[in-house]
C-alpha cells in the first residue's frame, strides 16, 4: 500500500453559484505551496459529462497531471488528519493520501462542502 503524506497549513472552501460547483482544498502553504489537494463537484452534470465519466468528484493532487474524476473512493475525516482513499485501478500504486490537519484553521463551509462533494463516501470519525 503506497501512501503520500503531507502537513496542511491551509484549508479552503468555496461554493460557486455562478459556475455551479463546490470546491475544497488543502495545501502546505497559502501562496507558495508544494503539496495540495483539490476536490470539486458540479451541482449538475450534462449528458456529455456523463458520457465522458466526468460526473463525479474531481480530485487533484499536486497538479493536473495527477487528477481524475471519481478516483477518490472514500474520505475519512479525523480530528488530526484527513485520509483520501484512491482507486488504484486509476492511480496504479497510490492507494492513500494522508493530510495532517492538526494546525489548520478551516474556512467556513469546509466540512459542509466536503460532504456535498463526497456524499456517503465521507466517513466522519470526529470526536
Amino acid at each position: 500500500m503506497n501512501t503520500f503524506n503531507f502537513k496542511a497549513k491551509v484549508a479552503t472552501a468555496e461554493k460557486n453559484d455562478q459556475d455551479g460547483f463546490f470546491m475544497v482544498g488543502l495545501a502546505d502553504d497559502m501562496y507558495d505551496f508544494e503539496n495540495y489537494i483539490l476536490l470539486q463537484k458540479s451541482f449538475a452534470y450534462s449528458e456529455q459529462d456523463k458520457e465522458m465519466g466526468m460526473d463525479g468528484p474531481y480530485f487533484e493532487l499536486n497538479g493536473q497531471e495527477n487528477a481524475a474524476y471519481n478516483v477518490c473512493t472514500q474520505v475519512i475525516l479525523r480530528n488530526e488528519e484527513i485520509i483520501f482513499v484512491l482507486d488504484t485501478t486509476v492511480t496504479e500504486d497510490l492507494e492513500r493520501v494522508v493530510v495532517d490537519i492538526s494546525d489548520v484553521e478551516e474556512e467556513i463551509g469546509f466540512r459542509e462542502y466536503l460532504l456535498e462533494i463526497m456524499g456517503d463516501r465521507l466517513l466522519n470519525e470526529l470526536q
Side-chain angles (χ1 to χ4, degrees):
M1 168 173 73
N2 285 327
T3 301
F4 181 79
N5 298 280
F6 74 92
K7 184 174 179 74
K9 295 181 183 173
V10 179
T12 61
E14 178 182 357
K15 179 182 179 186
N16 187 316
D17 290 317
Q18 182 176 347
D19 294 327
F21 66 84
F22 292 100
M23 183 174 66
V24 295
L26 295 161
D28 58 7
D29 189 83
M30 176 66 87
Y31 303 106
D32 189 26
F33 51 85
E34 189 172 318
N35 295 302
Y36 73 89
I37 283 182
L38 179 70
L39 275 171
Q40 185 173 325
K41 185 176 179 190
S42 293
F43 295 168
Y45 297 102
S46 68
E47 286 304 314
Q48 183 179 2
D49 291 340
K50 293 174 186 176
E51 290 169 8
M52 296 178 68
M54 298 169 57
D55 59 337
Y58 171 82
F59 178 86
E60 183 175 316
L61 173 66
N62 298 339
Q64 289 182 341
E65 66 277 8
N66 300 313
Y69 287 87
N70 297 307
V71 69
C72 187
T73 60
Q74 185 177 44
V75 175
I76 303 166
L77 182 59
R78 296 183 174 154
N79 290 330
E80 301 281 316
E81 66 185 7
I82 299 178
I83 301 168
F84 299 88
V85 181
L86 306 177
D87 180 350
T88 56
T89 63
V90 176
T91 63
E92 297 176 12
D93 62 343
L94 183 61
E95 186 175 8
R96 292 175 176 241
V97 178
V98 179
V99 183
D100 179 336
I101 57 168
S102 59
D103 294 333
V104 170
E105 186 173 325
E106 297 171 6
E107 275 191 359
I108 294 172
F110 181 85
R111 292 171 196 235
E112 176 187 348
Y113 300 162
L114 183 59
L115 178 59
E116 289 289 342
I117 293 167
M118 295 305 298
D120 63 357
R121 293 180 280 185
L122 175 65
L123 180 61
N124 190 341
E125 294 184 353
L126 294 175
Q127 297 176 7

